[in-house]
Amino acid sequence: DAGVIKTGSYQEGAGDAGDISVSAPSVVLSGGALVRADTWGDGRGGNLTVSATDEILISGIDSNGNRSGLFSTTHGAGDAGDIRVTAPTLTLEDGGIIEAETVSSGSAGNIEISVGRLNVSGEGSAISSGSFGGSGSGGSVVVAAAESVTLSDAGVIRSGSYQEGTICPWQHVFH
């Protein structure tokens, strides 16, 4: 619960953030645990890659209301990094989120999900890329599911521009 793995390009620096790669048989982020790559300046945010040979579960919030998830955000001119997730089963529940966003002039990262089964369930559970108040463009969301995609109880997949930026539509691919 509430564990953190993060990388970032901070202040007004031009350097890029490092990438993060997590690979294990099973990956569980719960109780506000997160993996995050941010940029606050001109440098590009790091890419996040998470893969599991069994399952990935992202679930719940901590006592302060912070959601468990994978996050890539730009708060500056640098573009946010991309998020790539691969597993036989990916479950987001009880507020679990995968999010790439911009709140500034840099563009949001893209999200690529390659799974057998995808389950997104519960209020606040989402796969989301977007521009939230900045002039940067939202990224794309690509979901490739070999078996099934289940959205229930207000779970969502979205990509959008919620003020000035340009929207990149989400895509789905079922094999």
Side-chain angles (χ1 to χ4, degrees):
D1 286 350
V4 175
I5 300 172
K6 69 179 182 175
T7 184
S9 174
Y10 299 101
Q11 303 295 333
E12 294 301 319
D16 294 342
D19 295 336
I20 295 175
S21 180
V22 177
S23 181
S26 178
V27 176
V28 177
L29 300 175
S30 64
L34 59 92
V35 180
R36 137 165 262 123
D38 294 318
T39 180
W40 294 83
D42 295 334
R44 179 170 170 76
N47 294 315
L48 302 180
T49 302
V50 180
S51 62
T53 55
D54 187 20
E55 70 173 333
I56 298 172
L57 171 64
I58 303 174
S59 177
I61 60 174
D62 68 12
S63 60
N64 295 318
N66 297 309
R67 295 158 57 171
S68 300
L70 305 175
F71 300 92
S72 174
T73 305
T74 177
H75 304 269
D79 293 340
D82 295 331
I83 299 174
R84 291 178 186 84
V85 178
T86 305
T89 302
L90 171 61
T91 301
L92 290 87
E93 61 186 20
D94 301 325
I97 189 165
I98 298 173
E99 182 175 67
E101 68 175 351
T102 177
V103 294
S104 190
S105 60
S107 294
N110 299 309
I111 299 173
E112 297 176 14
I113 307 291
S114 179
V115 295
R117 293 171 303 282
L118 172 63
N119 304 299
V120 183
S121 177
E123 185 72 34
S125 297
I127 299 172
S128 176
S129 181
S131 176
F132 298 91
S135 59
S137 299
S140 63
V141 176
V142 177
V143 175
E147 295 177 34
S148 64
V149 173
T150 303
L151 302 175
S152 62
D153 300 324
V156 299
I157 299 172
R158 66 179 168 235
S159 176
S161 176
Y162 301 96
Q163 289 193 11
E164 296 177 30
T166 304
I167 187 171
C168 291
W170 82 282
Q171 303 173 32
H172 65 277
V173 180
F174 302 101
H175 299 257

